[in-house]
Amino acid sequence: MTEYKDILVETHGRVGLVRLNRPGALNALSPQLMEELWDALSGFDQDEAVGAMVIAGNERAFSAGADIKAMADATLVEMLNRSLTDAWHRVAQLRKPVIAAVSGYALGGGCELAMACDLIVASETAQFGQPEIQIGVIPGAGGTQRLTRILGKHLAMEMVLNGRFLSAQEALQHGLVNRVVPVEHYLEEALQLAAQIADRAPVAVRLGKEAVNKSYEMTLAEGLALEQKYFYMLFATEDRQEGMQAFIEKRKPRWKGR
Ligand code: DAK
């Protein structure tokens, strides 16, 4: 496996785990870390032995956001030219499901990274926020758009304009996270959830993810048409036949991923 400096990479059965690993900087997302993260995730996305991925930080911080020290002296052109400026959007485009396992701070680009994932498992200590206003900017990797779609305009405004943090319980109440668990279990919970999804029919999982994500980009009529097309497409897979036959024979299906 590739040697990385700012992340730790493991596989747990069919789940690929990437742990952000700059604890001294609360996992601030330096350009190098983002490059490594993308390298590991895109590798898992292409690996047939992996069915789902988890991104985690540590108990104190998922990530406190983009590395402010690495941005402080950058010019506009340097920022524009930085490799992987669209890394957050690329994470959202991965074909396989990605779960963010969030404990402690998920701020700025860290909150945006969690939102670019498909599901979020939070520990009771998780805190979500977009504090960029305090350093004279606004979110730049999806915060104003994704938070608004999830939380609605008024709460999103309070977070973006006044740097308000959401606790794990508030995030759950407003639908930002899937579940909140005690801090000692959050990673295990995320890995378990990922393992369950990784054991499902791979092509159906891929198209299901794509259809849900496309709902943000389309009218209802377009989205319903796409969903129906994907549903019919799955009739061409061996796994669809296997799934229905296994149901009739009262046994567990054996997926082939085709
Ligand atoms: N960057 C760099 N270092 C950070 C950091 C960050 N975002 N957050 C924390 N650190 C470092 C601190 O500097 C400190 O380092 P030392 O001084 O020990 O060397 C260490 O982590 C521990 O932090 P603190 O001493 O501050 O710890 P506290 O418990 O007192 O406070 C805190 C924790 C999370 C409240 C505080 O550290 C904090 O406010 N951090 C900054 C949070 C923040 O403002 N985040 C947003 C950053 S801007 C884009 C893509 C992405 C973005 C924009 C555009 N495009 C593709 C266009 C994203 C932007 C951002 O995320």
Side-chain angles (χ1 to χ4, degrees):
M1 206 171 259
T2 322
E3 283 289 316
Y4 295 113
K5 186 175 140 285
D6 291 337
I7 60 170
L8 301 170
V9 176
E10 298 163 18
T11 49
H12 294 246
R14 286 184 45 76
V15 177
L17 168 65
V18 180
R19 305 197 68 164
L20 312 179
N21 190 35
R22 297 185 70 209
L26 302 183
N27 291 328
L29 304 168
S30 61
Q32 161 134 6
L33 186 149
M34 289 310 289
E35 254 176 69
E36 293 184 2
L37 177 66
W38 174 248
D39 189 71
L41 293 175
S42 55
F44 282 144
D45 209 38
Q46 285 155 32
D47 182 349
E48 272 190 25
V50 170
M53 297 167 248
V54 172
I55 306 176
N58 55 45
E59 285 186 9
R60 186 168 174 220
F62 175 72
S63 167
D67 191 324
I68 300 171
K69 293 166 191 169
M71 280 192 295
D73 295 323
T75 64
L76 163 68
V77 174
E78 281 163 0
M79 286 298 284
L80 276 175
N81 289 345
R82 233 163 227 188
S83 63
L84 294 179
T85 41
D86 61 347
W88 284 258
H89 302 312
R90 290 206 209 172
V91 171
Q93 301 296 325
L94 288 161
R95 288 177 297 179
K96 292 174 187 167
V98 188
I99 300 180
V102 176
S103 183
Y105 296 114
L107 304 179
C111 184
E112 292 168 315
L113 178 61
M115 288 192 289
C117 297
D118 303 304
L119 300 100
I120 304 180
V121 171
S123 89
E124 286 165 343
T125 65
Q127 294 189 66
F128 297 85
Q130 299 288 162
E132 289 89 340
I133 198 75
Q134 291 169 24
I135 53 170
V137 288
I138 64 168
T144 63
Q145 303 305 300
R146 290 205 167 92
L147 273 181
T148 307
R149 283 166 171 76
I150 298 165
L151 306 174
K153 172 176 161 178
H154 298 105
L155 193 46
M157 284 288 189
E158 202 179 339
M159 293 177 75
V160 171
L161 304 186
N162 206 23
R164 153 119 139 79
F165 286 7
L166 289 189
S167 68
Q169 280 307 330
E170 287 175 313
L172 184 65
Q173 185 192 335
H174 292 285
L176 178 59
V177 305
N178 292 76
R179 55 188 77 168
V180 176
V181 296
V183 66
E184 57 278 20
H185 299 310
Y186 81 99
L187 184 55
E188 176 195 324
E189 182 80 14
L191 287 169
Q192 251 177 40
L193 182 56
Q196 286 168 2
I197 295 172
D199 270 347
R200 310 219 175 262
V203 186
V205 166
R206 175 177 171 179
L207 295 185
K209 166 173 170 160
E210 214 172 294
V212 171
N213 279 334
K214 285 269 162 58
S215 74
Y216 286 101
E217 321 287 343
M218 293 178 157
T219 64
L220 181 61
E222 287 165 345
L224 290 172
L226 182 83
E227 178 191 89
Q228 215 170 63
K229 194 165 104 190
Y230 285 180
F231 177 84
Y232 289 135
M233 271 168 64
L234 288 166
F235 266 69
T237 64
E238 289 177 31
D239 282 348
R240 189 280 304 176
Q241 284 175 321
E242 166 66 6
M244 294 188 179
Q245 200 55 41
F247 173 81
I248 292 165
E249 292 169 13
K250 298 186 189 300
R251 61 173 173 82
K252 223 177 151 240
R254 289 179 293 270
W255 307 124
K256 292 183 181 155
R258 53 177 192 262

